[in-house]
Amino acid sequence: MSCSNEETGYEPTPQPLDIPIIFSDNIIPPVIPNDNPQTVEGIALGKKLFFDKILSANGTQACASCHAPQNAFTDNTPTSSGIDGVFGTRNSMPLFNLAWNYNERYNWDGTALSLERQAEEPVENPIELHSNWDDVVDRLQQHPEYPELFRLAFKTSTITKELTTKAIAQFERTLISANSKFDKYTLGQANLTSQELNGLDIFLREDKGDCFHCHGSPNNPLWTDNLFHNNGLDSSFLDLGLGEVTGDPNDNGKFRSPSLRNLAFTAPYMHDGRFSTLDEVINHYSEGLQDSPTIDPLMKKIDEGGVQLTTQEKADLKAFLLSLSDPSYINNPEFQN
């Protein structure tokens, strides 16, 4: 950007994240880049861009087309269709609590090393928005509203790819979900049923569900470690996951652990959307594990095919997992178009 186009004597309005007490009491602060602080104007711009189909080559899809608020910012198909009607190979990841991904590796395979960089790739992906950034920037620059919105957010009306993704990242960092029934229980504001409490016990016990190593506990309200694991989906791999990124065969078949929040809204599940229901997911860990050379050591019951839960234990575990869903998140007007 040129110095002559920068605005002096004006600063965007700071808008720090509204951090839930359940987070501030249990985990360290979120990751906010020094060169992209949260501002009122930047968030507003990012929200407009997130829902605007101008980012796609033919003006038919936006980020929100595959990341819909009513689905906790994913969609309801195993994999997503782009502007040309072609389906990808990965399930659209839900979006919430992204600022607490401390190692800043995004996507199922960790390809994006910041939230800003993550926002770059879908625009040019030939299966997704199938555009290119030069054209997108030109469309934004010629738009009757965007130059002024960029000026308010970044003190320049000269639009760039970098500023566009910074704005989108600012909006995405505001997507915070921390008002589930279980959150209220933790804060002493609600009670869990006996079935939900039994499910929590199964979740935490190494001789039962043994889920907490990858997906956290009440002391980690993210309900994910945001790390990469081979969770026994396949004995051989068409999709190498992290291994495709690192080139290390020891990483083949490893994918990022998704958060267990909002499972009521985010079906289907897994990196390829292979499981239509939460019951299928639980059955996989109970008796459907597939061994392979890179199976995670945390899959300790691999020789038995899984943790072998009873029908009642499965029902109890499911009840607990659903208590992590946050209806107020999918209905928050701040996150709607």
Side-chain angles (χ1 to χ4, degrees), residues 136-208:
V136 168
V137 168
D138 185 61
R139 289 195 293 270
L140 293 172
Q141 195 71 66
Q142 301 306 316
H143 191 274
E145 298 176 30
Y146 275 116
E148 173 64 7
L149 295 176
F150 273 83
R151 184 191 69 80
L152 293 172
F154 297 112
K155 302 197 298 181
T156 177
S157 57
T158 300
I159 298 172
T160 65
K161 174 180 72 173
E162 290 73 23
L163 293 181
T164 303
T165 58
K166 280 185 175 183
I168 293 172
Q170 282 193 45
F171 169 64
E172 289 179 333
R173 289 189 175 98
T174 70
L175 301 176
I176 298 171
S177 178
N179 193 36
S180 67
K181 181 179 181 181
F182 192 86
D183 295 318
K184 294 174 183 176
Y185 164 75
T186 302
L187 295 169
Q189 300 169 359
N191 294 317
L192 296 184
T193 66
S194 59
Q195 186 176 39
E196 289 165 342
L197 288 169
N198 288 338
L200 173 61
D201 182 61
I202 292 164
F203 182 93
L204 294 173
R205 284 177 58 176
E206 290 190 303
D207 63 338
K208 291 294 183 181

Side-chain angles (χ1 to χ4, degrees), residues 66-289:
C66 298
H67 298 282
Q70 65 268 25
N71 298 114
F73 289 87
T74 179
D75 56 19
N76 58 5
T77 56
T79 62
S80 300
S81 171
I83 67 168
D84 301 310
V86 179
F87 282 83
T89 59
R90 301 265 180 85
N91 183 255
S92 175
M93 296 198 84
L95 306 178
F96 47 81
N97 303 338
L98 299 170
W100 285 268
N101 182 350
Y102 299 117
N103 64 1
E104 290 206 274
R105 298 199 74 159
Y106 294 90
N107 297 330
W108 282 106
D109 57 7
T111 47
L113 300 182
S114 73
L115 200 50
E116 285 77 6
R117 292 178 185 174
Q118 194 286 323
E120 292 182 10
E121 198 269 343
V123 168
E124 295 192 322
N125 187 303
I127 297 178
E128 297 183 45
L129 300 183
H130 201 176
S131 189
N132 70 73
W133 273 106
D134 289 340
D135 288 346
V136 168
V137 168
D138 185 61
R139 289 195 293 270
L140 293 172
Q141 195 71 66
Q142 301 306 316
H143 191 274
E145 298 176 30
Y146 275 116
E148 173 64 7
L149 295 176
F150 273 83
R151 184 191 69 80
L152 293 172
F154 297 112
K155 302 197 298 181
T156 177
S157 57
T158 300
I159 298 172
T160 65
K161 174 180 72 173
E162 290 73 23
L163 293 181
T164 303
T165 58
K166 280 185 175 183
I168 293 172
Q170 282 193 45
F171 169 64
E172 289 179 333
R173 289 189 175 98
T174 70
L175 301 176
I176 298 171
S177 178
N179 193 36
S180 67
K181 181 179 181 181
F182 192 86
D183 295 318
K184 294 174 183 176
Y185 164 75
T186 302
L187 295 169
Q189 300 169 359
N191 294 317
L192 296 184
T193 66
S194 59
Q195 186 176 39
E196 289 165 342
L197 288 169
N198 288 338
L200 173 61
D201 182 61
I202 292 164
F203 182 93
L204 294 173
R205 284 177 58 176
E206 290 190 303
D207 63 338
K208 291 294 183 181
D210 196 20
C211 313
F212 67 95
H213 289 104
C214 301
H215 288 293
S217 69
N219 295 321
N220 172 15
L222 299 177
W223 296 102
T224 176
D225 61 5
N226 278 314
L227 300 179
F228 299 84
H229 302 277
N230 172 359
N231 63 339
L233 289 173
D234 300 296
S235 57
S236 60
F237 314 112
L238 294 176
D239 187 339
L240 298 181
L242 181 64
E244 185 71 33
V245 178
T246 65
D248 184 346
N250 293 315
D251 289 333
N252 288 350
K254 294 182 180 180
F255 296 89
R256 186 156 67 92
S257 299
S259 173
L260 298 181
R261 287 183 174 273
N262 296 316
L263 293 175
F265 318 122
T266 59
Y269 308 101
M270 300 296 169
H271 70 275
D272 53 7
R274 69 177 64 189
F275 296 138
S276 299
T277 67
L278 192 50
D279 300 277
E280 292 178 31
V281 175
I282 294 171
N283 288 338
H284 164 70
Y285 288 108
S286 180
E287 57 264 352
L289 297 182

